[in-house]
Amino acid sequence: MKKAYILFTLLLSCVTLGAQDPDSRDKSRYAVNNFDEDDHYTMYQPYETVSVEEPKGRKVKNVILMIGDGMGLEQLSAAWICNGRSLNIIDNFPSTGIQWTYSANRLVTDSAAAGTALATGSKTKNGKIAMSPDDEVLETLSEYAKSKGKKTGTSVVCRICDATPAVFSTHAAHRDSLYNITAQFVDSGLDFLFGGGLKWWENRPDGRDLTAEVESKGYTFVKDIDALEAVESTPVIALTAYKELPPALDRGDVHQASVRKALELLDCKEGFFLMVEGSCIDDYGHANKVGFVMEEIFDFDRTVGTVLEWAAEDGETLVVVTADHATGGMTLLAGSVKDQKVSVNFSNTGHNGVAIPVFAWGPHSEDFVGTYENAELSERIKKLIK
Ligand SMILES: [Zn+2]
């Protein structure tokens, strides 16, 4: 039914609009911060989502936490409509919850405080990276998993010193100490790290050669996805961009490729903890560009599909998908279910204080049903890392 619907839509698109494919779409219309052109989006080529059964077993060997930065329910609803009423995130997850995002000092959180709550189980003030309001170091899920003998990994499409990857592996009183945060990845103990941020890795004001430092610790260090594909063992660090990776339309399938590699390399008898972030949904929410927001969600959702297919084979992997907060005050105002288009309004260029959905799949997914604090979500995950 769904396939037939998509095929019909494709044919209709070809007839009415000329053969549309992602490469022929006019990207320039997203290239200016112009509200009139950035408040509507039509999906011409929906992608097929995966369909996987939750495993019957109860053992949790691996945990994969996937965070869509700035991906609130309005963003997800718009993306679901545009993709022909289908998203991996929405359609495959049997257990759903709601988490509250406010920080220790603000109703509206930033990514540092929300990420810290998700990573450590403690709310903190906006701007803190895995540190308490009084600047005490908080143990992260990655660090905890490592202490339990598991492998750990992070895969993002932003710079690695951005708040969300930072809160899982580093500690800082201020999120903007980017050279300091970047250097802490040298000693993070991560077995797999993928993202951007060479600007803060190379040519450092302190003169440190972080590449030489990690190589002396046994890491393979690479700067492009092809080189990462060839790597056969951990630990590995791949930084493929000066700052953030290119926007989703230009990025291709590198995030799916990175995560596929992470799963291959981290899979071991002891299990692993992997954090995956759809990092730039937030950036384009800030910029009030719905087209970019949709494309970033589709890219993240395809990565969720990659993870689910692997996890279904594995049978002992818990997958939790959520966000840190919503961005842009985005409201789904109008559109068409049949034509797969949406019109939205952005009411601000910052974050919002709205509660955020949680989607869980795999053994113990039912532990994530209910309404709870973002920090409590972290505690529930921690209980399952053994
Ligand atoms: Zn964020």
Side-chain angles (χ1 to χ4, degrees):
M1 183 69 187
K2 196 180 282 174
K3 273 186 197 167
Y5 178 73
I6 289 169
L7 193 64
F8 173 73
T9 310
L10 270 175
L11 284 171
L12 195 70
S13 304
C14 292
V15 170
T16 56
L17 298 154
Q20 287 276 351
D21 67 63
D23 292 325
S24 75
R25 273 183 285 178
D26 180 14
K27 294 172 197 170
S28 65
R29 77 186 180 96
Y30 303 125
V32 288
N33 191 0
N34 182 330
F35 184 85
D36 289 326
E37 294 185 1
D38 289 329
D39 63 352
H40 53 267
Y41 183 81
T42 305
M43 183 71 159
Y44 297 118
Q45 275 201 334
Y47 55 91
E48 267 200 62
T49 51
V50 306
S51 178
V52 291
E53 290 285 318
E54 199 175 40
K56 298 278 182 285
R58 299 291 295 157
K59 186 183 171 200
V60 179
K61 186 170 83 167
N62 311 309
V63 176
I64 304 173
L65 173 58
M66 306 185 70
I67 301 171
D69 199 314
M71 185 184 72
L73 201 48
E74 302 263 357
Q75 283 87 349
L76 274 173
S77 305
W80 186 78
I81 293 291
C82 286
N83 198 47
R85 291 174 293 164
S86 177
L87 282 183
N88 291 311
I89 301 169
I90 304 281
D91 300 346
N92 282 291
F93 288 77
S95 302
T96 54
I98 289 174
Q99 48 120 334
W100 298 106
T101 67
Y102 62 89
S103 73
N105 68 329
R106 292 277 188 276
L107 178 108
V108 177
T109 189
D110 74 336
S111 292
T116 294
L118 294 172
T120 73
S122 297
K123 283 187 190 268
T124 191
K125 288 183 185 170
N126 285 13
K128 303 283 181 194
I129 300 293
M131 287 186 116
S132 72
D134 303 323
D135 292 340
E136 289 153 14
V137 168
L138 301 167
E139 185 183 50
T140 74
L141 288 176
S142 286
E143 292 161 350
Y144 178 75
K146 190 171 177 62
S147 78
K148 292 288 178 183
K150 292 186 180 292
K151 290 200 176 196
T152 56
T154 287
S155 186
V156 300
V157 291
C158 59
R159 57 197 183 208
I160 55 165
C161 52
D162 204 11
T164 311
V167 294
F168 283 85
S169 298
T170 73
H171 306 271
H174 302 287
R175 62 178 292 172
D176 51 5
S177 57
L178 301 181
Y179 284 103
N180 160 36
I181 290 168
T182 299
Q184 289 186 46
F185 280 97
V186 171
D187 300 310
S188 68
L190 281 175
D191 297 285
F192 182 98
L193 175 60
F194 175 88
L198 285 165
K199 177 181 194 290
W200 298 273
W201 187 269
E202 300 175 330
N203 304 317
R204 295 172 54 83
D206 60 10
R208 285 175 66 179
D209 181 346
L210 300 188
T211 301
E213 288 184 34
V214 294
E215 284 176 345
S216 77
K217 286 172 173 283
Y219 276 90
T220 304
F221 180 83
V222 298
K223 288 163 70 164
D224 65 75
I225 190 71
D226 292 337
L228 177 62
E229 299 266 26
V231 172
E232 289 178 351
S233 62
T234 57
V236 57
I237 295 176
L239 301 186
T240 69
Y242 188 62
K243 292 181 176 173
E244 332 296 328
L245 272 71
L249 277 180
D250 305 328
R251 196 188 305 142
D253 63 353
V254 293
H255 205 199
Q256 293 83 48
S258 160
V259 166
R260 213 173 282 122
K261 195 69 189 179
L263 297 169
E264 173 197 323
L265 295 179
L266 295 175
D267 190 18
C268 64
K269 189 159 59 63
E270 295 76 19
F272 63 81
F273 172 77
L274 172 64
M275 193 286 285
V276 177
E277 186 193 27
S279 315
C280 299
I281 302 162
D282 176 66
D283 299 70
Y284 301 119
H286 283 290
N288 287 181
K289 294 171 186 291
V290 73
F292 271 112
V293 170
M294 292 299 102
E295 297 288 353
E296 291 296 332
I297 291 182
F298 298 144
D299 183 62
F300 181 58
D301 188 61
R302 286 192 189 98
T303 311
V304 171
T306 299
V307 163
L308 285 177
E309 284 188 317
W310 185 90
E313 284 270 304
D314 177 73
E316 297 179 338
T317 300
L318 168 70
V319 183
V320 177
V321 183
T322 191
D324 49 357
H325 54 75
T327 304
M330 193 179 117
T331 310
L332 183 49
L333 287 179
S336 163
V337 174
K338 181 173 71 67
D339 298 334
Q340 294 162 186
K341 64 182 184 185
V342 292
S343 292
V344 307
N345 182 40
F346 291 100
S347 65
N348 72 6
T349 57
H351 297 170
N352 324 126
V354 68
I356 290 294
V358 180
F359 304 90
W361 181 97
H364 284 269
S365 66
E366 72 279 4
D367 294 13
F368 298 88
V369 171
T371 305
Y372 38 81
E373 300 289 344
N374 52 5
E376 168 70 16
L377 171 56
S378 183
E379 292 293 323
R380 292 186 187 197
I381 293 171
K382 188 176 179 180
K383 280 197 191 105
L384 297 168
I385 299 176
K386 296 190 184 101

